[in-house]
Amino acid sequence: MSDEKKYTFEDPGYRDTYRHTVSHILAQAVKRLYPEVKLAIGPAIENGFYYDFDAPFSFTQEHLDALEAEMKKICKEKLPLERFELPRAEARKLMEEKDEPYKVELIDDLPEDATISFYKQGEFTDLCAGPHLDSTGRIKGNAIKLTSATGAYWRGDSKNKMLQRIYGTAFPKKDELDAYLKQVEEARKRDHNKLGRELEYFTTVDVIGQGLPVLLPKGARVVQLLQRWVEDEEEKRGYLLTKTPLMAKRDLYRISGHWDHYLDGMFILGDPHDEEKECFALRPMTCPFQYQVYLNRMRSYRDLPMRLSETSTLFRNEDSGEMHGLIRVRQFTISEGHLILRPDQLEEEFKGCLELAKYCLETVGLLEDCTFRFSQWDPANPNDKYEGTAEQWEEAQRVMGQILDHLGIEYEVGIDEAAFYGPKLDIQYKNVHGKEDTLVTIQIDMLLAQKFGMEYVDRDGEKKTPYIIHRTSLGCYERTLAYLIEKYAGALPTWMAPEQVRVMPMTDRNVSCAQEVMRQLAEAGFRATMDDRNEKIGYKIREAQVHKVPYMVVIGDKDEEQGIISVRERKTGETTPMEVTAFLEKLSYEVKEKLR
């Protein structure tokens, strides 16, 4: 980092220091206006900062407006931020005197011999490790915005008291703040959790449960289209389709290691601690099931690679606080697959998996916004998280790193983010709010084949253990649908749109002609509906636009006389007269080429 950038927002360290300082200015403003409020913690985060408070009232927009005004005053006061340290006992006494019980609790968790740092600005003092800017005058008061107030458990534990978290952001210039707020507003409009419900792609129902969305007809149709397309593409690339059970006895998960490493993330049917009775679990992944296809009979080196694929419904017991629309759910469907192969086939098959994933993501329009992460184990192996020896992990990661380098993949390394049985390449994607999740994963596994007794007879007549690649083509379909809604603001490309054409007769006289157009569209395999309501054509067009329909076909008396239709295109807003056959050819090309 050059010196001229070191103290600008281009430097992530300076940016965090700036916003951390603003979080203290917020806390000072709260204590000035509402001295009865107790302080918790207030860090900088990716796009701003927050501070948690214990208040006897709920923070409203009026409170946030008053706090913003007070924060501007504090910036104008140019108060120096002075760091000082105290021994643990004195630090505890200071916070007791200030009647800050949450700060006292934090101090109590520190070692007896700890020296504890504080920052003082004017009359306000806060327990903090820092760092901070040297003065509140460094902060531009007119470039601060408090964005929301929500509930947050103390220390993120639902057993603790619910506090109030005030979120905010800050920039060195007001025009940068304005640009960010405009971006946030656009993100709200595109948020699939809002837009997907408004366009009737999905809903959630309290009596069904959190993280268990119901796909409505439009959402179900899009997922069906994607699944059929992916399955056909996998078949072209030599994959064999399987269909395996949604649950199994705990015995299967014990062999795979999921019972020891993933039990808390599974839905259990029965008592997991009663060894006298059968106990089942809904599957959190398909790998141990698909291995049974390989184990159905003895295999030869000629059988490899064996590429197995399945459109798998999976179940994972996610924490309630992690649930978000279609992006993080408890039941989902995934384009899952496992490749069983010889060691000499590993690089070529890994390359094939990556090419397939990139093709799928490119076709739907998501690849350009993806990043790659090489997820590795933590050699310290915290909480005995990983299977296998250090030597096995080092070898697997060496091979995978070599493959990624040969393929020219630019990636970041994620330590302690591997699967318990092997390293993986995660293809990452951010939602409109900047939250990152894994969309597609490709994993190298040198461990589980041996645990399941998977062997093949090699050319030399010896039995050997294969390698396994775990992979997805398009990942979780629900999550992909969410990202597509956000990417296209609900206006999905024609080839995957649940409704491709809406036919609109202008009067009752034109209904018969409209029905004939509908027949031709249906015979050609297009998804079309007809709006023959007794409404003005302008109203019908506006409603179709709201529903993001790619094409609107208007038929009036003149159209009938001339033997044409008037085609209005969503993308351009233009209306073009054309013959039905020409329109069908246009649609066919757009769908076949999967244009975006």
Side-chain angles (χ1 to χ4, degrees), residues 107-174:
I107 293 170
D108 286 343
D109 287 344
L110 297 173
E112 288 284 347
D113 58 351
T115 299
I116 299 164
S117 62
F118 294 83
Y119 280 83
K120 183 178 186 298
Q121 56 197 59
E123 81 289 353
F124 177 74
T125 299
D126 201 354
L127 170 73
C128 188
H132 289 282
L133 302 186
D134 61 357
S135 169
T136 62
R138 301 276 186 191
I139 306 299
K140 302 300 180 185
N142 66 348
I144 296 173
K145 182 65 179 176
L146 299 182
T147 54
S148 64
T150 64
Y153 291 110
W154 169 232
R155 293 187 157 184
D157 189 339
S158 60
K159 297 177 183 176
N160 291 335
K161 186 173 183 178
M162 176 69 78
L163 306 180
Q164 292 184 74
R165 175 171 295 176
I166 296 180
Y167 283 100
T169 192
F171 290 84
K173 297 178 181 178
K174 187 176 186 304

